[in-house]
Amino acid sequence: MATYYSYEERTYIGNGLIWLAEFNSEAPMIHIGDCTKLTLGIKTNSIKTPQNMTGGGGNLNNTTRISEATVSITAKEVQSQTLALALWGHAMKGVGGTVTGDPVTLLRGGLNRVGRTGMSNVQITDNQGVLVDAASYEVRSGGIYLPPSADPSTDTPIVATMAYKYPPMDTIEALTNTGKEYHLLFEGLNEAKSGKPFVVDVWRTSFAPTTGLDLITDKATELPLVGEALVDFSKPPGESRYFRAEQVM
């Protein structure tokens, strides 16, 4: 007797959130921001054994092995934690504050990288205790700009102290971490099925540094992240040691 299997149409149009936590960490997962792509791939390596018993060629056997399981993400936001991951670095959250008596040496004819990013309420006092006229310099996000004087040959460094306020900011230190591994969770939904959940866990993921961080662009920056799903030997037999997908029917 023939066996008939039930059929249910399962078109998939996916959206969702990507969460990351360090592998084997008890810390909560961090949302990496809006992404336009999440792709899981499986690459294989075929070992072919040609047959030589008859003419015409062909293979006696074809053994296929998995060479790697890949993870590819395109992030649309520059969240600090995502940047740190992409740059193999770490992110630090800082609070704003006030600085007084910051010693600086200023040169005319360019930008002096002094103070703190985004500083305001700047006052510069020379080494004689005289307040420098604010009209003689420009406070920029990257420091203090002093225009060239009428006779640059007479210029001497200005030894001074600065007082200023600076805003809260995140600092990302690049290339300070290597080989970090993450548990990746895709908290997805299937728009073609009224938003029913489609959830994927990638148990152990390692990302390479990003191949490109566009800092000057005429459109929203995309941050490509490419990694690999590595084996997680803590999973018991019968469960995937790489990733698991669950969809609500």
Side-chain angles (χ1 to χ4, degrees):
M1 177 182 295
T3 301
Y4 296 93
Y5 295 92
S6 61
Y7 167 77
E8 181 182 354
E9 180 269 324
R10 295 302 300 176
T11 301
Y12 177 77
I13 302 175
N15 276 303
L17 308 179
I18 300 175
W19 301 81
L20 290 175
E22 286 192 32
F23 181 63
N24 279 340
S25 168
E26 296 181 357
M29 306 191 93
I30 302 298
H31 177 221
I32 70 170
D34 191 29
C35 298
T36 58
K37 185 179 79 168
L38 170 60
T39 303
L40 302 181
I42 299 174
K43 294 183 178 180
T44 60
N45 178 35
S46 293
I47 303 173
K48 301 180 186 295
T49 304
Q51 72 85 19
N52 302 294
M53 294 179 289
T54 64
N59 292 319
L60 185 66
N61 183 271
N62 183 3
T63 301
T64 300
R65 292 176 175 172
I66 296 173
S67 58
E68 62 179 326
T70 60
V71 181
S72 179
I73 298 172
T74 301
K76 290 290 289 185
E77 295 187 66
V78 286
Q79 300 284 350
S80 296
Q81 292 290 345
T82 311
L83 272 177
L85 181 155
L87 300 174
W88 271 17
H90 66 276
M92 299 176 291
K93 184 168 288 294
V95 297
T98 301
V99 174
T100 59
D102 185 12
V104 295
T105 300
L106 304 176
L107 301 175
R108 291 192 174 277
L111 182 69
N112 296 266
R113 185 69 168 111
V114 295
R116 299 289 298 271
T117 297
M119 60 186 172
S120 61
N121 293 40
V122 174
Q123 290 186 327
I124 301 176
T125 304
D126 66 20
N127 59 358
Q128 302 300 315
V130 177
L131 198 64
V132 178
D133 183 4
S136 66
Y137 59 86
E138 179 185 353
V139 179
R140 301 182 61 86
S141 61
I144 300 295
Y145 174 79
L146 286 175
S149 60
D151 184 6
S153 65
T154 64
D155 286 348
T156 58
I158 301 174
V159 179
T161 59
M162 286 176 52
Y164 52 87
K165 292 182 178 180
Y166 62 91
M169 69 187 78
D170 289 354
T171 300
I172 298 93
E173 299 284 357
L175 299 177
T176 58
N177 290 314
T178 59
K180 275 196 171 185
E181 296 173 353
Y182 301 90
H183 173 195
L184 183 152
L185 171 69
F186 174 56
E187 190 182 25
L189 56 88
N190 186 354
E191 287 192 90
K193 287 298 177 183
S194 303
K196 289 185 176 180
F198 192 105
V199 176
V200 178
D201 285 278
V202 184
W203 305 120
R204 180 174 165 236
T205 310
S206 176
F207 289 97
T210 184
T211 56
L213 175 59
D214 296 331
L215 297 179
I216 297 179
T217 176
D218 58 359
K219 61 180 181 180
T221 291
E222 293 186 343
L223 189 60
L225 301 170
V226 177
E228 183 177 353
L230 303 173
V231 64
D232 179 3
F233 284 112
S234 70
K235 299 305 174 188
E239 293 186 13
S240 173
R241 292 174 171 174
Y242 295 91
F243 57 87
R244 177 184 67 196
E246 296 176 315
Q247 62 173 331
V248 174
M249 306 301 287

